[in-house]
Amino acid sequence: MKNLKKHAFLALFLCLLIPTICISQVNPPSPAMPSQQNKIIVDKIIEATHYKNYVIDFCLAKINEASAKEGWNEQKAMEITESINYKNFRDAIYNLFVVYDEVELETLLKAYEKDTAYQTQNIMTTSKVLTNNLNIFANDIVKGKYISK
């Protein structure tokens, strides 16, 4: 009988200990972000390249395409269109520029401000990662994931 109590106690102890070990796993790290000063420069680059307008126009094109394809009514199309918020995508852009230091960002900003050819064909429109993220963002908007309820 004493052995049975010892085994039951041991089994109970292990049942309490195993979940504690499993919970100790670590979450993945958050995406890297540039410093506050670099964010200011990146915002100026975004202004110089008109990338905010590009993002919004891209999302509007996706919405119009989905609206025509699926036959949305005017109210649904307007509701989806109003859910476009550039701030929901801004962190993806910041993450793209995390590898640049302040001097490189300033040089890039001056190049974008000086030459209009850079403004249309810039690092943001040619980056495959950012383009993929923009597609995902626009598709999420079309699916209604950013509509506040």
Side-chain angles (χ1 to χ4, degrees):
M1 191 69 154
K2 282 189 174 185
N3 278 344
L4 185 61
K5 283 186 179 182
K6 285 182 183 177
H7 289 294
F9 177 74
L10 183 60
L12 179 65
F13 180 72
L14 287 175
C15 287
L16 293 174
L17 184 63
I18 290 174
T20 306
I21 294 169
C22 293
I23 292 174
S24 67
Q25 295 180 2
V26 182
N27 290 333
S30 59
M33 289 293 167
S35 68
Q36 196 62 34
Q37 179 60 32
N38 287 359
K39 282 183 181 180
I40 293 169
I41 300 169
V42 170
D43 286 337
K44 289 178 183 177
I45 290 172
I46 291 168
E47 263 183 54
T49 60
H50 309 289
Y51 194 68
K52 181 178 179 180
N53 294 339
Y54 178 81
V55 169
I56 293 170
D57 289 346
F58 186 86
C59 292
L60 287 172
K62 285 281 190 177
I63 290 169
N64 290 336
E65 180 183 316
S67 178
K69 186 178 179 181
E70 298 173 17
W72 292 349
N73 61 25
E74 190 69 30
Q75 182 183 0
K76 181 174 181 177
M78 186 57 84
E79 193 175 276
I80 297 286
T81 301
E82 288 173 351
S83 73
I84 298 173
N85 187 349
Y86 169 76
K87 290 181 181 181
N88 293 330
F89 187 68
R90 188 175 52 196
D91 285 350
I93 298 170
Y94 287 156
N95 183 257
L96 175 70
F97 287 100
V98 78
V99 295
Y100 298 102
D101 64 18
E102 191 173 338
V103 174
E104 292 170 321
L105 288 173
E106 285 287 349
T107 305
L108 199 56
L109 174 61
K110 287 176 185 169
Y112 286 137
E113 288 175 338
K114 207 186 284 185
D115 192 352
T116 55
Y118 281 128
Q119 292 176 5
T120 55
Q121 202 61 18
N122 59 59
I123 190 170
M124 292 172 283
T125 58
T126 58
S127 167
K128 289 183 180 182
V129 172
L130 195 60
T131 303
N132 187 42
N133 287 341
L134 181 55
N135 268 317
I136 292 169
F137 176 68
N139 288 333
D140 285 348
I141 287 175
V142 168
K143 291 176 185 174
K145 291 188 178 182
Y146 291 97
I147 295 175
S148 56
K149 296 180 182 184

